[in-house]
Amino acid sequence: MRLRPHHLALLLTVALPLAACGANDPGEGAKAGGNAPGASAQVRAAPGLFTPDQIEQAMPSAQPAAAPTTPAPASPNGQPATTPPDPAMIRLQILLDRSSFSPGVIDGLHGENVRQAIAAYREAKGLGTGDAVDAALIQSLATTDAQPVMTEYALTPADVGGPFSPPPAGEDLSVQAAQGTNFSTARERIAERFHMSEELLQALNPSVDFTRAGVAILVPSLIDRPLPQVARIEVDKAEKAVKAYDAAGTLVAFYPATIGSGDNLSPSGSLTVTGVAPEPDYLYDPSRLTFGKGERVTVPAGPNNPVGSVWIDLSRDTYGIHGTPDPSKIGKTASHGCVRLTNWDAEQLAAAVKPGVPVRFV
């Protein structure tokens, strides 16, 4: 792994080899808040799927947040119908995101990542076990953060101006190395900034041209709240989750994660953090892998780099906790042994760890 010189300050004495992580899934080809409402907007977008009030006043069902077991009915053209976002779920996901009990991508949909975040939050806050969405949960989340969950944000020239790179495609990393690892579109950049899916961003702002600066859009109102110093990390392979604890043993953050696969297992037992590399390059070296073939390739840093925007190095060669170019797949696919988080979750965790922090795989 080759890192630019300024990245080495937080590492030990060697560059990080990232060869075991970050390649495509087996079998597969400051990021918070907004500007002041209407701060520099020249154009206000037409109303979208929901108004801010509809989301703010929505109350989640008092049922577990797992995805429905029955498939969505087919649409008239015979394709599976798309499940529409739920305004109450948008609200709940934003509140969980603010609490550092991450639902992953804010998409307004019921799912396993949300269910696990709810269960972890309830246990940590003394609200009992299970994943029920009840009045006690909503009151606890809303009391902690009473700010509105949605805000208006004016697109800036920096948001829409690039540079952009073609989306990653296939397994030939030499193509991505040549074309770059920037966001593919302004819409992708804005969606990641506000921890949301591109589909929800577009649904809330259906008439917006995301290449045009000065347009006011509706987005989640996030809070950039740093974690306290993390004293230990637990990687739960069965739950597909990463848990961060402070020195008192309090669970201070919970993140959905992609962790290994049947063919490429994650480590077991106890490791330690050895360093943090923001914006890492990615070295693909098949001579050090149990998968893949071809030539050594160094993919440059960028948000769509195979290991995302940050790397937390662990004390087993080539293994780490890192970001991802595709946050929508976190917790839903396999990896080549490392631990993937969304870029924003990985960045939050990386800012709160130091070399020597124990990491236990269970």
Side-chain angles (χ1 to χ4, degrees):
M1 171 63 197
R2 295 203 308 268
L3 298 177
R4 290 174 288 188
H6 72 277
H7 290 150
L8 297 177
L10 295 178
L11 303 178
L12 295 182
T13 58
V14 295
L16 296 180
L18 307 187
C21 299
N24 291 333
D25 295 329
E28 286 190 0
K31 291 191 174 185
N35 46 26
S40 59
Q42 299 171 350
V43 179
R44 181 164 282 100
L49 186 63
F50 306 115
T51 67
D53 284 345
Q54 286 175 319
I55 297 173
E56 193 68 48
Q57 297 168 12
M59 292 299 295
S61 167
Q63 299 296 323
T69 56
T70 55
S75 61
N77 62 11
Q79 298 298 316
T82 301
T83 302
D86 177 352
M89 186 55 59
I90 297 172
R91 180 187 180 212
L92 179 58
Q93 288 175 329
I94 294 170
L95 292 173
L96 286 166
D97 182 284
R98 289 176 176 180
S99 74
S100 299
F101 286 72
S102 174
V105 173
I106 297 169
D107 56 10
L109 303 177
H110 298 252
E112 187 66 12
N113 289 349
V114 182
R115 186 198 67 75
Q116 290 189 337
I118 291 169
Y121 182 91
R122 292 184 66 90
E123 184 172 358
K125 302 301 180 182
L127 301 177
T129 59
D131 55 12
V133 182
D134 56 18
L137 173 73
I138 300 303
Q139 182 177 6
S140 177
L141 287 165
T143 300
T144 302
D145 261 311
Q147 298 182 44
V149 297
M150 304 300 295
T151 190
E152 193 175 83
Y153 174 81
L155 296 177
T156 69
D159 292 327
V160 304
F164 299 111
S165 302
E171 297 186 1
D172 188 353
L173 292 177
S174 64
V175 175
Q176 191 180 21
Q179 294 180 336
T181 59
N182 301 299
F183 290 117
S184 300
T185 63
R187 190 179 76 165
E188 182 190 14
R189 172 184 282 158
I190 296 300
E192 176 140 335
R193 174 173 181 169
F194 292 100
H195 305 182
M196 64 193 306
S197 69
E198 291 188 63
E199 292 77 12
L200 180 60
L201 177 62
Q202 191 70 70
L204 294 175
N205 304 279
S207 65
V208 168
D209 176 358
F210 286 94
T211 66
R212 182 182 178 186
V215 178
I217 60 173
L218 183 64
V219 293
S221 179
L222 304 180
I223 296 175
D224 187 7
R225 180 181 292 115
L227 296 180
Q229 187 65 46
V230 169
R232 66 181 177 91
I233 296 170
E234 183 176 282
V235 179
D236 191 319
K237 292 188 276 189
E239 278 193 25
K240 297 182 180 179
V242 170
K243 304 171 185 179
Y245 297 84
D246 66 12
T250 301
L251 179 63
V252 295
F254 177 95
Y255 306 115
T258 292
I259 307 171
S261 68
D263 295 327
N264 298 281
L265 298 177
S266 293
S268 295
S270 296
L271 306 178
T272 59
V273 171
T274 60
V276 172
E279 300 182 18
D281 297 332
Y282 169 66
L283 173 63
Y284 171 73
D285 185 354
S287 70
R288 305 180 65 189
L289 304 176
T290 59
F291 62 90
K293 58 184 179 180
E295 302 296 322
R296 283 167 52 105
V297 176
T298 298
V299 182
N304 282 342
N305 177 292
V307 294
S309 61
V310 69
W311 170 273
I312 302 172
D313 193 46
L314 301 181
S315 56
R316 179 170 297 181
D317 188 31
T318 77
Y319 285 93
I321 301 171
H322 60 83
T324 180
D326 193 348
S328 67
K329 292 181 179 177
I330 291 298
K332 302 171 185 176
T333 57
S335 76
H336 287 296
C338 282
V339 180
R340 289 185 198 160
L341 310 177
T342 65
N343 280 339
W344 55 87
D345 288 342
E347 289 167 11
Q348 184 185 58
L349 180 62
V353 299
K354 295 179 179 179
V357 168
V359 180
R360 188 166 69 98
F361 286 76
V362 298

